[in-house]
Structure formats: C-alpha cells, structure tokens
C-alpha cells in the first residue's frame, strides 16, 4: 500500500462535477511533482494532470484540458483535482502519486511513486 490516500470519488451524471482529494503527508520523500492518473480495467494507466511544485507549471492531458484543474494546498499537504463538465469517458479509478525526480513533469508515470488505493469515479450518460 502506498503513501497517498485518495478520496472524493463517486457517481455523477454527464456534465456534473467532482473534486478529488489526495493526502500526501505520509509520503516521506521530496516532492518535485504531484500528479493525478487514472486507469480503466484492461487498459494502461494514463496521466491526467501533473503539477511541478518548484515551477508551479501544470500539465493536462488533452482529453481533460479546460475541464479539470489540479491544485496543491501546501498547508494541508493535499493535492486536489477539480473535475467539471464530466464525460462518461472520464469513468476510471483515479490515483495520485508524487515524484522526487527532476524531469518528472514530462514523465507519463514511471518515476512516480507512493500510489494509493485510488478512488473510483463513474460518469453516467
């Protein structure tokens, strides 16, 4: 079991919104990047949004850009994912993770660690 604890998932109708939260305080290493990823059974895990904590830069997968927003509450050691205008294809298990490595901003997930158990998001049409 990883260090991250994801929460906030649930079921919504298309066009609805959810906010995912990830507690990162148990992750013992430096955080160069924080990210949200998702996975559907039978498919590879995909990167959803990445935040560089030093630069403040944010990356979004084209499929979520303009609809999802990643943010970090440093005082609470929490990374959030605000999801709006949700679509059925957003249905997946969502995970957060961290990376202490330089270059993590451009990485699809292999240098990320601390994976939690995830939180399920289901969007119905």
């Amino acid at each position: 079991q990883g260090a991250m604890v994801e929460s906030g998932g649930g079921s919504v109708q298309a066009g609805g919104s959810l906010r995912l939260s990830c507690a990162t305080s148990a992750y013992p290493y430096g955080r160069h990047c924080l990210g949200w990823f998702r996975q559907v059974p039978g498919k590879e895990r995909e990167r959803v949004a990445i935040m560089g904590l030093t630069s403040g830069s944010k990356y979004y997968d084209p499929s979520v850009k303009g609809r999802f927003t990643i943010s970090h509450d440093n005082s609470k050691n929490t990374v959030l994912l605000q999801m709006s205008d949700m679509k059925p294809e957003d249905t997946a298990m969502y995970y957060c993770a961290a990376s202490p490595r330089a270059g993590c901003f451009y990485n699809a997930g292999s240098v990320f660690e601390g994976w939690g158990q995830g939180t399920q998001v289901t969007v119905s049409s």
Side-chain angles (χ1 to χ4, degrees):
Q1 184 173 351
M4 307 303 184
V5 181
E6 303 94 341
S7 62
S11 297
V12 296
Q13 290 191 330
S17 300
L18 279 175
R19 189 177 78 162
L20 303 184
S21 180
C22 175
T24 70
S25 58
Y27 180 72
Y29 307 110
R31 298 164 178 83
H32 205 69
C33 295
L34 291 170
W36 283 96
F37 301 79
R38 64 188 181 188
Q39 188 168 23
V40 176
K43 294 189 177 181
E44 291 190 358
R45 180 184 63 205
E46 64 177 8
R47 178 178 49 177
V48 176
I50 303 294
M51 183 173 183
L53 294 185
T54 300
S55 65
S57 298
K58 299 178 182 180
Y59 164 86
Y60 296 97
D61 184 87
S63 67
V64 307
K65 195 170 185 178
R67 302 188 296 119
F68 290 13
T69 301
I70 186 172
S71 61
H72 179 238
D73 186 334
N74 193 48
S75 66
K76 297 181 180 179
N77 286 323
T78 300
V79 58
L80 304 173
L81 185 68
Q82 179 66 48
M83 305 185 291
S84 303
D85 190 22
M86 298 182 71
K87 303 177 180 181
E89 51 263 42
D90 295 323
T91 296
M93 185 71 79
Y94 283 70
Y95 302 88
C96 69
S99 177
R101 304 188 187 185
C104 51
F105 189 77
Y106 302 102
N107 184 271
S110 62
V111 299
F112 283 78
E113 53 193 29
W115 304 92
Q117 293 190 330
T119 186
Q120 177 67 39
V121 171
T122 303
V123 185
S124 57
S125 57

